[in-house]
Amino acid sequence: MGESLVVCDVAEDLVEKMIKFCFHKETNNAAIIMKIDKDKRLVVLDEELEGISLDELKDELPERQPHFTVYSYKYQHEDGRVSYPLCFIFSSPVGCKPEQQMMYAGSKNKLVQTAELTKVFEIRNTEDLTEEWLREKLGFFH
C-alpha cells in the first residue's frame, strides 16, 4: 500500500471531551466540531456548541474544508418519545484539496471507533445538512 493515506490520531483531550459529550444530560441540540491539525497529524477540537440548530450548524461549517461533527440531536419519535441520538457527520465538500480529503477520509474510521459512534453520515455539500435530511437518515435506525 502506498504512503498516500494518512491516518491521524485523535487528541487525548478530544477523546475525553467526546466521552463526556456522549453522556451529557442537556436537553437541547449540541455539537462538537473537529478538524485535523495537519502538522501534528491529530484530530483536534475546533468548536463546541450548545443549543445549536442544524441551520446554525450549517453556517458554522466551512464550505471548502472537510470537518467532523458529532451532533446530539433532539429527536421526537412519532409515538411521542424523545431521544438524543449522537450523529457523526463527516462533511467533505466538493472542491477541497484532494490531500486534505484523503487525510480526513483516512482518519474518519479511527475517530468513529474511538468515540464508539454508530450513526455515521457523510455530506458533500453543507447545504444538504437539513432537519429533513437528518430525520430521514435517522429513520433507518428504528
Side-chain angles (χ1 to χ4, degrees), residues 7-15 17-18 31-48 60-62 64-70 88-91 93 100 103-105 107-108 111:
V7 177
C8 299
D9 281 321
V10 182
E12 280 299 315
D13 58 336
L14 179 59
V15 172
K17 190 165 284 295
M18 283 197 298
I32 292 180
I33 301 174
M34 297 156 279
K35 64 182 180 184
I36 288 180
D37 180 326
K38 221 170 49 177
D39 300 330
K40 294 181 182 170
R41 294 183 187 246
L42 267 184
V43 179
V44 297
L45 178 68
D46 189 15
E47 239 179 315
E48 193 171 4
E60 291 292 325
L61 297 175
R64 294 256 178 258
Q65 193 176 354
H67 264 75
F68 300 123
T69 304
V70 177
F88 180 85
I89 302 166
F90 172 36
S91 146
Q100 207 177 25
M103 193 178 269
Y104 274 80
S107 303
K108 181 185 95 174
L111 185 57

Side-chain angles (χ1 to χ4, degrees), residues 58 61-66 91-96 124-127:
K58 188 181 353 186
L61 297 175
E63 284 180 30
R64 294 256 178 258
Q65 193 176 354
S91 146
S92 177
V94 176
C96 53
R124 300 287 289 166
N125 182 343
T126 54
E127 289 306 304

Side-chain angles (χ1 to χ4, degrees), residues 89-136:
I89 302 166
F90 172 36
S91 146
S92 177
V94 176
C96 53
K97 296 178 188 155
E99 76 201 36
Q100 207 177 25
Q101 243 170 348
M102 280 176 29
M103 193 178 269
Y104 274 80
S107 303
K108 181 185 95 174
N109 287 344
K110 181 167 184 125
L111 185 57
V112 167
Q113 287 167 349
T114 301
E116 297 181 7
L117 297 163
T118 55
K119 295 164 182 66
V120 179
F121 312 121
E122 203 167 313
I123 57 170
R124 300 287 289 166
N125 182 343
T126 54
E127 289 306 304
D128 296 340
L129 193 57
T130 63
E131 191 102 15
E132 190 180 339
W133 173 85
L134 187 57
R135 290 187 70 79
E136 183 182 308

Side-chain angles (χ1 to χ4, degrees), residues 3-4 22 30-31 49-50 61 97 99 132:
E3 291 182 41
S4 57
C22 290
L49 305 158
E50 284 289 334
L61 297 175
K97 296 178 188 155
E99 76 201 36
E132 190 180 339

